[in-house]
Amino acid sequence: MDEFGLIDHIARRARLRADVVLGIGDDAALLQPPPGRQLAVTADTLNAGVHFPAETLPADIGWKALAVNLSDLAAMGAAPLWCTLSLSLPQADAGWLEGFVDGFFALADASGIALVGGDTTRGPLSLSITAMGAVPAGQALRRDGARVGDDIWISGMPGEAAGALRLWQRGALAVRAPAADSGHEILRQRLQRPTPRLQLGQTLHGVASAAADVSDGLLADLGHIATRSGVGAVVQAGRVPLSSALRDALGADAARDCALRGGDDYELCFTAAPERRDALQALSSRLALPLTRIGHVVEGRGVSCEGGADTGHAAGYRHFAAQ
Amino acid sequence: MDEFGLIDHIARRARLRADVVLGIGDDAALLQPPPGRQLAVTADTLNAGVHFPAETLPADIGWKALAVNLSDLAAMGAAPLWCTLSLSLPQADAGWLEGFVDGFFALADASGIALVGGDTTRGPLSLSITAMGAVPAGQALRRDGARVGDDIWISGMPGEAAGALRLWQRGALAVRAPAADSGHEILRQRLQRPTPRLQLGQTLHGVASAAADVSDGLLADLGHIATRSGVGAVVQAGRVPLSSALRDALGADAARDCALRGGDDYELCFTAAPERRDALQALSSRLALPLTRIGHVVEGRGVSCEGGADTGHAAGYRHFAAQ
């Protein structure tokens, strides 16, 4: 199977949308943008050994590479439209590709995004995806809209992905196989198959004042909102929800640290005026997704954390951080 | 300089367009698509040691990574709008990045494309770009429109990039420094700083019946047009233009082989009805760009080459080709 064979193999699985005038196979795809919408465009790369353990199953790699990009669309409140995939592989491997394609299209089909282009090259395993989505003009969830007095909210149960990574790092969890411990398996699924909060993001138009997805860690990503909005943020550590799976696996202190600082969660952190509390509780019920108020926006700068061991400015994971 | 510093450094150089509602710095960029247009979207990756010699200057890498994507837009007849860049680097290196950014933005600014997103990750040197452009609805230059009786045309002087690569492979050319021989330097520039034929592409609406850019080699890319159009193609080898720089460097036979089979040229190969000949000659004068009629479209399948040493179906460079 050569380069063209790989592309064909992937292209055959691509489900088209009515707005895809011309898909994979020409110099470029031709797409019809939806009228009255703006495009949200994001690009994220995953490299083996940096962003996921090298032994990760190809299906999980396919799912996650798309999930991290869909999560960025979710954080803007955008509906998925199209994506491109650049896949570098050490060698053409039909079995690996079969698994990868299964995981990638399981999420692509569920989210409605169409793969419209890309390429395959020989090189160390790496996946670059650019995802495009549609938002009603002027209604995107940006990072720069937080106002003093807003509440700070988090979706779901943060820290579970980081918890799984800690278990894996200490040899207590295999990423390739289901864990015998059901709690460990919950954490493993959250690391390997994160759920981008697309429905939530598209429901937050006019409700949230600012939003970001939690990829670098809750405090770090909240810091991005605070910086862009020119405000400070106070998080009450005791309010941050901790799943029993995470607490049971790591104990309360480490669980809280994962929830505050762990990356790879892909939950949404957002701000909203206090008068939105009832609406957000109702939304939480409707989506069957926990939405938890964990702090508030203040004058000033940076993120402070009350009631936990951690205070001061938060730092997330940085690929090029000084040693 | 960490990951965020790298992104900031690149983002500071990004010139914005009026249709960029929100650029780098949020979860995604927000873009306003031009009304009445379709989007052309393409993605191409360059890996060090596979797509360019590892010792290539960072400024040339930046230029070329963007050029190969702009060339795909040119081949669709699209006007450049926006792009994303995923950059994997072995380590954060301010000097390398400075050079890269210089080359990248030299071409970005000249072509009018805006960098709107992307990421930097740690990994083997690799660049993935997704480029978006605009085409008048229904007027894109596709590969599937060639008709029996059409002429086959090539822009510019094909083979020069492949000629430079041959010189480099035999140790007769350094890719990092200007060549003492002025002819060699012409070839080196064509390999390192290819010119995407954007103006030509946007002028071929309603004139060309099909088009592709020459990245895999003239015969191979013409083969893609023939396959997608369900026709055959006959190339008269003696008509393919050979620059004196290429002939002087390699001799006539090797020069012709480079022109027919060499990749990395980024000229446009296109088909047009015979009644377009006068218009195309006038266009050639206006753009100061050679446009040469090199063959014609026939019934059947595949590409045949008359009057050269080569006949039969053409194969270009394939990254995953069997050894």
Side-chain angles (χ1 to χ4, degrees):
Chain A
M1 192 183 300
D2 65 8
E3 182 193 1
F4 298 97
L6 288 177
I7 293 171
D8 284 348
H9 189 83
I10 296 171
R12 270 197 302 275
R13 287 288 295 273
R15 214 186 272 186
L16 293 190
R17 301 165 48 99
D19 52 20
V20 179
V21 179
L22 182 65
I24 294 169
D26 212 302
D27 291 290
L30 289 174
L31 309 167
Q32 186 62 58
R37 306 274 153 155
Q38 290 171 340
L39 288 180
V41 176
T42 184
D44 269 306
T45 297
L46 300 189
N47 292 339
V50 178
H51 301 94
F52 56 86
E55 67 263 36
T56 302
L57 286 173
D60 290 338
I61 295 171
W63 175 286
K64 188 161 180 174
L66 182 57
V68 305
N69 282 280
L70 288 173
S71 178
D72 281 323
L73 294 185
M76 301 302 286
L81 294 171
W82 320 295
C83 65
T84 62
L85 164 67
S86 290
L87 175 61
S88 283
L89 279 179
Q91 65 277 323
D93 175 335
W96 188 95
L97 196 72
E98 195 64 45
F100 173 83
V101 157
D102 281 347
F104 181 90
F105 283 108
L107 182 57
D109 294 347
S111 68
I113 202 165
L115 179 71
V116 299
D119 64 351
T120 58
T121 54
R122 188 195 289 272
L125 181 57
S126 174
L127 310 98
S128 288
I129 291 176
T130 292
M132 291 157 269
V135 282
Q139 293 194 46
L141 307 175
R142 301 165 55 139
R143 290 179 174 177
D144 59 5
R147 298 291 168 259
V148 173
D150 281 354
D151 296 324
I152 299 168
W153 296 76
I154 183 75
S155 68
M157 295 289 177
E160 291 187 332
L165 203 59
R166 288 198 189 183
L167 291 177
W168 173 74
Q169 283 164 338
R170 64 171 78 148
L173 186 78
V175 293
R176 288 180 73 89
D181 180 294
S182 66
H184 287 196
E185 178 58 12
I186 288 172
L187 305 189
R188 192 185 74 89
Q189 286 287 337
R190 289 268 290 171
L191 178 66
Q192 301 296 82
R193 296 262 177 159
T195 305
R197 300 301 184 193
L198 288 161
Q199 206 181 355
L200 173 63
Q202 291 170 71
T203 322
L204 288 177
H205 295 299
V207 178
S209 54
D213 72 328
V214 178
S215 51
D216 297 324
L218 172 52
L219 296 181
D221 288 303
L222 178 56
H224 298 151
I225 290 177
T227 301
R228 298 274 293 186
S229 299
V231 296
V234 176
V235 170
Q236 290 155 299
R239 282 184 168 273
V240 175
L242 299 177
S243 75
S244 54
L246 184 59
R247 270 200 319 265
D248 291 350
L250 296 178
D253 285 351
R256 177 149 287 115
D257 189 58
C258 284
L260 291 170
R261 297 181 180 280
D264 257 4
D265 272 327
Y266 305 104
E267 295 296 345
L268 296 188
C269 175
F270 58 95
T271 58
E275 49 265 37
R276 300 296 187 178
R277 288 179 191 173
D278 289 350
L280 285 164
Q281 295 299 357
L283 180 60
S284 172
S285 300
R286 185 153 67 81
L287 298 180
L289 176 68
L291 298 178
T292 309
R293 192 156 49 83
I294 59 170
H296 54 283
V297 177
V298 297
E299 290 187 15
R301 300 186 57 170
V303 178
S304 61
C305 191
E306 291 179 348
D310 307 295
T311 56
H313 199 81
Y317 177 64
R318 296 186 171 202
H319 299 301
F320 285 101
Q323 301 304 308
Chain B
M1 192 182 302
D2 65 10
E3 182 193 0
F4 298 96
L6 288 177
I7 293 171
D8 284 349
H9 189 84
I10 295 171
R12 270 197 302 276
R13 287 288 295 274
R15 213 185 274 186
L16 293 190
R17 301 166 48 99
D19 53 19
V20 178
V21 180
L22 182 66
I24 294 169
D26 212 301
D27 291 290
L30 289 174
L31 309 167
Q32 186 62 58
R37 306 274 153 154
Q38 290 171 340
L39 289 179
V41 176
T42 184
D44 269 307
T45 298
L46 300 190
N47 293 338
V50 178
H51 301 93
F52 55 86
E55 67 263 35
T56 302
L57 287 172
D60 290 338
I61 295 171
W63 175 286
K64 188 161 180 175
L66 183 57
V68 303
N69 282 280
L70 288 173
S71 178
D72 281 323
L73 294 185
M76 301 302 287
L81 294 171
W82 320 295
C83 65
T84 61
L85 165 67
S86 290
L87 175 60
S88 283
L89 280 179
Q91 66 277 324
D93 175 335
W96 189 94
L97 197 72
E98 196 64 46
F100 174 83
V101 157
D102 281 347
F104 182 91
F105 284 107
L107 183 56
D109 294 348
S111 68
I113 201 166
L115 179 69
V116 298
D119 64 352
T120 58
T121 55
R122 188 196 288 275
L125 181 58
S126 175
L127 310 99
S128 287
I129 290 176
T130 292
M132 290 157 269
V135 282
Q139 292 195 46
L141 307 174
R142 303 164 55 138
R143 291 179 174 177
D144 59 4
R147 298 289 168 261
V148 174
D150 281 353
D151 296 324
I152 299 168
W153 296 77
I154 184 74
S155 69
M157 293 290 176
E160 290 186 332
L165 202 59
R166 288 199 189 182
L167 291 176
W168 173 75
Q169 283 164 337
R170 65 171 77 149
L173 186 77
V175 292
R176 288 180 73 90
D181 180 293
S182 66
H184 286 197
E185 178 58 12
I186 289 172
L187 304 189
R188 193 186 74 89
Q189 285 287 335
R190 289 267 291 170
L191 179 65
Q192 302 295 82
R193 298 261 176 159
T195 304
R197 299 301 183 193
L198 287 161
Q199 206 180 354
L200 173 62
Q202 291 170 70
T203 322
L204 289 177
H205 295 300
V207 178
S209 53
D213 72 329
V214 178
S215 52
D216 297 323
L218 172 52
L219 296 182
D221 288 303
L222 179 56
H224 298 151
I225 290 177
T227 301
R228 298 272 294 185
S229 299
V231 297
V234 176
V235 170
Q236 289 155 298
R239 283 183 166 271
V240 174
L242 300 177
S243 75
S244 55
L246 184 61
R247 270 200 320 263
D248 292 349
L250 297 177
D253 286 351
R256 179 150 287 117
D257 190 56
C258 284
L260 291 170
R261 298 179 180 280
D264 258 3
D265 272 326
Y266 306 103
E267 295 296 346
L268 296 189
C269 175
F270 58 95
T271 58
E275 49 265 39
R276 301 294 186 179
R277 289 178 190 173
D278 289 350
L280 285 164
Q281 295 298 357
L283 180 60
S284 172
S285 300
R286 185 153 66 81
L287 298 180
L289 175 68
L291 298 178
T292 310
R293 192 157 49 85
I294 58 171
H296 54 282
V297 177
V298 296
E299 290 187 17
R301 301 184 56 172
V303 178
S304 61
C305 193
E306 290 179 350
D310 307 294
T311 55
H313 199 80
Y317 179 64
R318 297 187 171 201
H319 299 301
F320 284 101
Q323 299 305 307

